[in-house]
Amino acid sequence: MKPDLFQAPDYYNIDELLNDEHRLVRDAAREWVKREVSPIIEDYAQRAEFPKQIINGLAEIGAFGPYIPAEYGGAGLDQISYGLIMQEIERGDSGVRSTASVQSSLVMYPIWKYGNEEQRQRFLPKLASGEWMGSFGLTEPDHGSDPAGMTTNFKDKGDHYLLNGAKMWISNAPFCQVAVVWAKNEEGRIHGLIVERGMEGFSTPETHNKWSLRASATGELIFDNVKVPKEHLLPNKSGLGAPLGCLDSARYGIAWGAIGAAMDCYDTALRYSKERMQFGKPIGQFQLQQKKLAEMITEITKAQLLAWRLGVMRENGTATSAQISMAKRNNVEMAITIAREARQILGGMGITGEYSIMRHSMNLESVITYEGTHDIHLLITGLDITGLNAFK
Ligand SMILES: Cc1cc2nc3c(=O)[nH]c(=O)nc-3n(C[C@H](O)[C@H](O)[C@H](O)COP(=O)(O)OP(=O)(O)OC[C@H]3O[C@@H](n4cnc5c(N)ncnc54)[C@H](O)[C@@H]3O)c2cc1C
């Protein structure tokens, strides 16, 4: 793979909207990605393997629980810093960002928000340091966009719960120590349970043959009469709103992360267009290539403003789930379109692992589907503006 020459575009001087802490956090993450992720990521993606040696570094840049208070091992940062960390990590690879998103928003967040003090003290510091990795089990083989239909269930057996069922498409599953699992009790109410590796009847087979997010490990969570101690139930929130609250946080991170992938594709294509000569000129001199590049930077700039404004609203507690859906949907589509256009600017070279674009393009096919598909987010906006529910 070519050396990482990334120079972040900032056409509207978004830097002026950031404070010193935001810039420090962002720059540290950017340098770390350049040093630790870029040189190895193509190789790991080609081999379909998650690079476990970067876990400590991810913890050090605050990628595990950026906004979780320091007393629980988190970085205690604000929502904009969280977004910027996700942007920088996904600039390197969406699979690595997925690992960090799951750990932070889908595992640490529910333990912090819905767990009791004992659960927070026991699990959060180890998750923040990366000593333990976590996964989040919501999706099932027969229930993806419609998680309310889940069949994974637990029964009260007096001194423990008995958990049965299966989850599919679970990021980090093959190596997770801890899984936050959503299951129905005997009354059909959804609750979160913390399941630990080693509990009898719990297995996590890996999902192979992915053409997307190859550097992120994906698998199943299978529960065959797993005895879960009662103190592993998250006591402070139940119902579908509990997992959806986690998804709000993760989707917000994706809205920023997608900008990183788009920036990397744009920056690569811009540099290539100035170096690659055809018909005696750099291809960047042809109007058709300029149109592609000009549209890319326009869309990246709009996406940056959307994410920044959403971050301000998240920070002051006013962002709605529907507003988060809009940003996730818009920014991921923006990134996938840019990846496809950038790939074309590189011609044949664009399909190789010499450059990052094809990997980003394939990765974004998952990002546009997980955490709510492109269609589902549109229906959420539709419901929000009309008051009419297209899901029913
Ligand atoms: C690499 C990867 C990692 C993932 N990681 C996790 C994870 O860590 N934890 C987890 O719980 N899940 C995870 N997922 C699962 C992901 O969230 C689901 O794939 C996603 O929610 C879609 O579900 P589905 O694949 O079952 O598609 P389906 O729900 O079957 O949808 C298929 C198609 O039908 C459309 N559709 C569905 N309902 C409607 C409707 N009402 N109106 C119009 N169109 C509709 C969808 O938009 C889609 O185009 C991951 C998925 C992938 C690919």
Side-chain angles (χ1 to χ4, degrees):
M1 198 177 160
K2 298 268 183 207
D4 185 353
L5 302 173
F6 178 66
Q7 284 187 303
D10 188 6
Y11 202 72
Y12 262 37
N13 212 355
I14 307 281
D15 254 32
E16 277 183 5
L17 298 173
L18 307 179
N19 63 29
D20 288 347
E21 182 173 80
H22 297 148
R23 282 190 289 265
L24 267 174
V25 165
R26 194 252 339 257
D27 292 349
R30 186 170 290 168
E31 281 312 306
W32 178 79
V33 167
K34 239 180 202 186
R35 208 175 53 243
E36 304 292 336
V37 178
S38 300
I40 56 136
I41 196 63
E42 181 65 30
D43 190 36
Y44 277 83
Q46 295 273 1
R47 286 193 273 136
E49 191 182 327
F50 173 71
K52 288 195 182 137
Q53 71 275 23
I54 66 172
I55 285 176
N56 285 343
L58 280 165
E60 277 163 23
I61 62 165
F64 297 154
Y67 49 80
I68 302 279
E71 59 181 303
Y72 301 119
L77 297 167
D78 72 3
Q79 290 289 311
I80 300 275
S81 288
Y82 160 45
L84 288 164
I85 293 173
M86 295 300 117
Q87 173 187 289
E88 295 308 316
I89 298 176
E90 192 147 1
R91 207 280 296 172
D93 188 78
S94 306
V96 177
R97 198 270 306 137
S98 301
T99 294
S101 286
V102 168
Q103 183 88 344
S104 299
S105 290
L106 302 182
V107 181
M108 295 176 72
Y109 179 90
I111 294 173
W112 175 45
K113 284 281 174 187
Y114 314 146
N116 58 30
E117 194 51 31
E118 203 185 317
Q119 292 167 337
R120 289 185 200 123
Q121 297 286 354
R122 171 152 184 238
F123 291 100
L124 293 178
K126 286 198 165 74
L127 290 161
S129 69
E131 185 182 339
W132 286 353
M133 294 301 293
S135 69
F136 171 89
L138 181 65
T139 306
E140 298 187 352
D142 293 330
H143 300 94
S145 300
D146 180 20
M150 71 173 65
T151 58
T152 298
N153 65 86
F154 62 98
K155 292 190 168 60
D156 190 335
K157 293 289 178 184
D159 62 342
H160 65 270
Y161 297 119
L162 198 64
L163 178 66
N164 277 290
K167 301 287 177 179
M168 182 176 189
W169 293 119
I170 307 305
S171 303
N172 300 354
F175 57 75
C176 71
Q177 184 65 30
V178 172
V180 170
V181 177
W182 301 96
K184 285 180 178 163
N185 66 10
E186 282 145 291
E187 287 78 51
R189 181 97 185 148
I190 295 171
H191 287 267
L193 296 163
I194 306 170
V195 178
E196 286 187 77
R197 185 170 297 281
M199 287 181 178
E200 211 180 318
F202 174 44
S203 58
T204 61
E206 184 156 2
T207 302
H208 296 289
N209 292 330
K210 291 181 299 167
W211 281 114
S212 176
L213 292 192
R214 288 172 64 80
S216 156
T218 314
E220 294 166 60
L221 303 175
I222 296 174
F223 315 104
D224 180 10
N225 285 321
V226 180
K227 284 184 182 171
V228 180
K230 284 202 151 167
E231 60 271 19
H232 280 219
L233 182 118
L234 297 175
N236 295 333
K237 189 156 173 143
S238 63
L240 191 61
L244 292 185
C246 308
L247 293 177
D248 271 356
S249 176
R251 289 165 178 173
Y252 165 72
I254 294 173
W256 281 93
I259 297 171
M263 282 178 168
D264 197 48
C265 294
Y266 165 77
D267 178 62
T268 304
L270 179 64
R271 190 171 308 108
Y272 191 87
S273 77
K274 293 192 231 172
E275 290 167 358
R276 174 70 176 167
M277 304 290 289
Q278 288 295 290
F279 300 95
K281 292 178 186 172
I283 58 168
Q285 201 172 329
F286 297 118
Q287 289 180 6
L288 285 175
Q289 306 313 316
Q290 289 191 3
K291 177 174 187 289
K292 287 192 208 309
L293 291 163
E295 284 176 354
M296 285 181 202
I297 191 61
T298 308
E299 291 307 315
I300 288 172
T301 304
K302 284 152 69 179
Q304 284 177 302
L305 290 167
L306 199 60
W308 176 81
R309 175 67 191 145
L310 187 63
V312 171
M313 292 193 292
R314 287 276 296 167
E315 194 54 33
N316 65 28
T318 60
T320 66
S321 299
Q323 286 168 333
I324 294 167
S325 279
M326 179 184 281
K328 190 268 184 184
R329 182 175 187 275
N330 181 79
N331 290 9
V332 178
E333 185 177 43
M334 171 281 297
I336 210 167
T337 305
I338 286 177
R340 287 173 187 149
E341 293 285 298
R343 216 284 306 146
Q344 291 190 56
I345 291 178
L346 267 72
M349 285 313 292
I351 70 148
T352 72
E354 286 291 298
Y355 295 89
S356 55
I357 297 176
M358 193 72 191
R359 179 166 44 79
H360 282 305
S361 187
M362 293 194 300
N363 281 343
L364 289 162
E365 292 292 341
S366 287
V367 182
I368 204 164
T369 287
Y370 71 18
E371 307 265 358
T373 70
H374 199 56
D375 297 329
I376 293 298
H377 288 299
L378 178 127
L379 296 179
I380 291 171
T381 305
L383 167 61
D384 198 42
I385 58 175
T386 64
L388 304 170
N389 192 342
F391 294 103
K392 289 183 181 161

